[in-house]
Amino acid sequence: MPLTADLMTLGSRIRHHRTERGLTLDQLGEMVGQAGSQLSLIENGRREPKLSTLKEISAALGVELTDLLNGEPPNSRAALEIELARAQKNPLYATLGLPPVKVTKGMPTAALEAIVGLHRELARRASQAIATPEEARRANTELRELMRSRNNYMPDIEELAEERVRASGHVSGALTHREVSVMAEQLGFSLIYVNDLPHSTRSVTDLENGRIYLPPASIPGGHGLRSMALQAMAHRLLGHERPGSYAEFLWQRLQINYFAAACLMPREAAVSFLTEAKASRELAVEDFRDAFGVTHEAAALRFTNLATTHLDIPLHFLRVNGDGALQKGYENDGLPLPVDVTGSIEGQFVCKQWSARSAFTHTNRTTEFYQYTDTPAGTFWCATQTGATEAGEFSISVGVPFAQVKWFRGRETTQRAVSRCPDETCCRRPAGEVASRWAGKAWPSARLHAHVLSPLPSGTFPGVDDTEVYEFLEAHAAE
Ligand SMILES: [Zn+2]
């Protein structure tokens, strides 16, 4: 018999036995030396009785103490009452702004069943709407596998981007802010830069008045603003509807990012630039970046879109944090990326021997770092660039299998490393001598990564505060 009764169940069991014996609260109170009002608080689960009081109650009612402490509600009606009381205390119910229902003896059991049934359904739907970190990771992994099977290439979006860029009057080189504005105008939108964009958004589009609100430029001439404006337009051009699931939300985000990159580095111009570089065996992400005026990461990611389909080069891309954790990754060249049991790579630590990590100690953030790495899956060559944000250091790597290195600048490097990962003795387990010296003597306190525990908020758009967005639009609509 489990002695796990919570106060509500305990109170319910006391009431059950009291009414079965035809006793009023006051009558039982007299028998155990308590005021009836005190007993009422105990029966309603609002006061924890002392063990001595409990013993007197069980003696007065002629039941075993263990019977009172049994964790089961005394009957099905009491079970419903307890469930309702709990549901009404749940913050989920409070969000509805409805009054709590007070259960009386006269309330039909059918009414109680109906209300409890609605509470159960409310809880079920609420938990379904929340994308847990696990669901988010699963959706993310599926998407990465899909893109790998397509060599990270989306021909439809390539076409669309080229068409829009051509229509803006753009001829060659970097896409300008002016040309991006023209693209927006052609879609019936004006770009407006504001200082009070809702915190949970990167841009807000006012469909009624044809406006795209963007944050002010943090770096004049930086490609961030053009990219954000293009992403906002992509939602319209691709006919996106409000995402029905987290997977759909991720898919839309991938598409808009792809569209923006395909506008900033249009296929025809980009492929011709890269083909020439390949022919002269001078392929380098940094040149590609500089030719189109984008960040190193944007250029590296765009290179993964085009390299396999247009240059016949399988490759990998890694964005790794200063602590070695993989933030973003892609490969279709067989590089053994670290994975967890679900197949997810984000947050996994890459091998300490890889260029993505060794570059932190080698580069000065102006030049690329080159390295050959022997892995159980063959030899790879990588070009890594490091950088820093407020959140810390990071590295961006693009690499290829040994057979493809002949097309790249930096192939003459003498930097070599051997990686045996995922074999843990490679770099994940401390070496024997050091391990035996410190085993049992070290007590590190882990830094908690907030995102590991926080579920993604459920709104109509994951992560977005709708109220904030509507208030923002309301404030600006009149301008
Ligand atoms: Zn390793």
mmCIF file of all heavy atoms in Angstrom, residues 351-352 421 426-427, ligand 1:
data_model
loop_
_atom_site.group_PDB
_atom_site.id
_atom_site.type_symbol
_atom_site.label_atom_id
_atom_site.label_comp_id
_atom_site.label_asym_id
_atom_site.label_seq_id
_atom_site.Cartn_x
_atom_site.Cartn_y
_atom_site.Cartn_z
ATOM 1 N N CYS A 351 36.099 17.018 -32.919
ATOM 2 C CA CYS A 351 37.419 16.538 -32.510
ATOM 3 C C CYS A 351 38.388 17.708 -32.285
ATOM 4 O O CYS A 351 38.424 18.650 -33.060
ATOM 5 C CB CYS A 351 37.969 15.604 -33.578
ATOM 6 S SG CYS A 351 39.588 14.949 -33.150
ATOM 7 N N LYS A 352 39.166 17.602 -31.207
ATOM 8 C CA LYS A 352 40.134 18.661 -30.889
ATOM 9 C C LYS A 352 41.217 18.793 -31.950
ATOM 10 O O LYS A 352 41.865 19.824 -32.049
ATOM 11 C CB LYS A 352 40.800 18.369 -29.538
ATOM 12 C CG LYS A 352 39.936 18.782 -28.382
ATOM 13 C CD LYS A 352 40.628 18.523 -27.051
ATOM 14 C CE LYS A 352 39.640 18.736 -25.917
ATOM 15 N NZ LYS A 352 40.002 17.961 -24.723
ATOM 16 N N CYS A 421 38.663 10.264 -33.710
ATOM 17 C CA CYS A 421 37.258 10.371 -33.306
ATOM 18 C C CYS A 421 36.399 9.689 -34.369
ATOM 19 O O CYS A 421 36.777 9.713 -35.536
ATOM 20 C CB CYS A 421 36.857 11.843 -33.161
ATOM 21 S SG CYS A 421 37.232 12.523 -31.532
ATOM 22 N N CYS A 426 40.652 9.253 -28.624
ATOM 23 C CA CYS A 426 41.310 10.267 -29.457
ATOM 24 C C CYS A 426 41.498 11.562 -28.679
ATOM 25 O O CYS A 426 42.607 12.047 -28.529
ATOM 26 C CB CYS A 426 40.488 10.522 -30.716
ATOM 27 S SG CYS A 426 41.011 11.975 -31.650
ATOM 28 N N CYS A 427 40.409 12.121 -28.174
ATOM 29 C CA CYS A 427 40.542 13.405 -27.478
ATOM 30 C C CYS A 427 39.472 13.608 -26.430
ATOM 31 O O CYS A 427 39.374 14.647 -25.814
ATOM 32 C CB CYS A 427 40.496 14.549 -28.501
ATOM 33 S SG CYS A 427 38.967 14.606 -29.436
HETATM 34 ZN ZN ZN B 1 39.345 13.535 -31.562
#
